[in-house]
Amino acid sequence: MKFLLRPWQLGDAESLVIQANNPNIAQFLTNGFPHPYTIEHAHSFIQMVSQHQPTQIFAIVVDDEAVGSIGLHLQSDIMCKNIELGYFIGEAFWGKGIMTEAIRKIVDYGFKNFEIVQIFARPFGNNLASQRVLEKAGFTLEAQIEGNIYKNGAFQDELIYAIRKTPLQNL
């Protein structure tokens, strides 16, 4: 399925609410991702991400409609050469190959636009689809921390997947 990545626009707010206001999506994201997801949340999110230069968080667009989000979250201090990948896509678009390709594109963008050596993602242990997508996009499972996540009244494992620009070395 064809898609593009582009900066979020205020006109995407309604589409964002339609895709994001889904418990099947919220269950695999941090508590910073609200549920229910309202139009006010969408406006705040779009205004916040529009301030990043260069763009760090993109809309995933299919047929001129924002159907998901993918972004890079800068790290600081001793993690300053790393960046965290975050993403979601509307449930109607699961299993269509969009997210694997979107991850490949954002990895390329991240290594070209930021002074980093590693991009990592932290899917929940029970999110098998996200794990498969990361592996298809070239990420390697580097760690599993048992019971590290507490979400919706239950403990989940935290997995850490990563992809490197160059082998680790003193730069």
Side-chain angles (χ1 to χ4, degrees):
M1 179 172 275
K2 291 186 179 185
F3 72 95
L4 65 92
L5 300 182
R6 67 155 166 76
W8 282 96
Q9 302 168 356
L10 286 178
D12 295 326
E14 288 184 27
S15 179
L16 175 56
V17 171
I18 291 168
Q19 301 304 329
N21 190 31
N22 181 335
N24 294 329
I25 291 172
Q27 73 175 328
F28 295 121
L29 300 174
T30 70
N31 291 336
F33 186 90
H35 184 74
Y37 200 97
T38 66
I39 194 73
E40 291 80 15
H41 294 126
H43 286 141
S44 293
F45 171 77
I46 293 169
Q47 288 173 345
M48 177 194 67
V49 302
S50 297
Q51 296 175 18
H52 297 154
Q53 292 299 326
T55 301
Q56 295 172 24
I57 300 175
F58 295 86
I60 301 170
V61 178
V62 174
D63 296 330
D64 296 321
E65 180 183 349
V67 300
S69 185
I70 189 165
L72 300 169
H73 304 275
L74 297 172
Q75 305 297 294
S76 62
D77 197 15
I78 61 172
M79 296 293 289
C80 66
K81 295 296 182 183
N82 299 276
I83 204 163
E84 184 173 4
L85 170 66
Y87 52 86
F88 83 88
I89 194 161
E91 190 170 4
F93 299 90
W94 292 359
K96 300 187 183 305
I98 295 171
M99 192 53 74
T100 300
E101 191 57 34
I103 290 172
R104 288 180 180 138
K105 288 182 179 189
I106 201 82
V107 163
D108 184 56
Y109 174 84
F111 286 137
K112 287 180 179 174
N113 289 278
F114 300 95
E115 291 184 29
I116 57 169
V117 296
Q118 178 175 261
I119 298 173
F120 68 94
R122 301 178 310 142
F124 295 7
N126 64 341
N127 190 344
L128 300 178
S130 189
Q131 295 166 44
R132 282 193 302 271
V133 163
L134 288 165
E135 290 165 359
K136 287 180 190 175
F139 282 68
T140 302
L141 176 62
E142 295 198 347
Q144 178 174 347
I145 306 168
E146 293 184 28
N148 199 42
I149 295 169
Y150 186 73
K151 177 81 176 188
N152 296 326
F155 288 96
Q156 299 292 334
D157 291 352
E158 175 184 14
L159 305 179
I160 301 173
Y161 280 82
I163 191 166
R164 288 185 175 76
K165 182 177 184 177
T166 59
L168 287 180
Q169 57 190 342
N170 290 328
L171 300 174

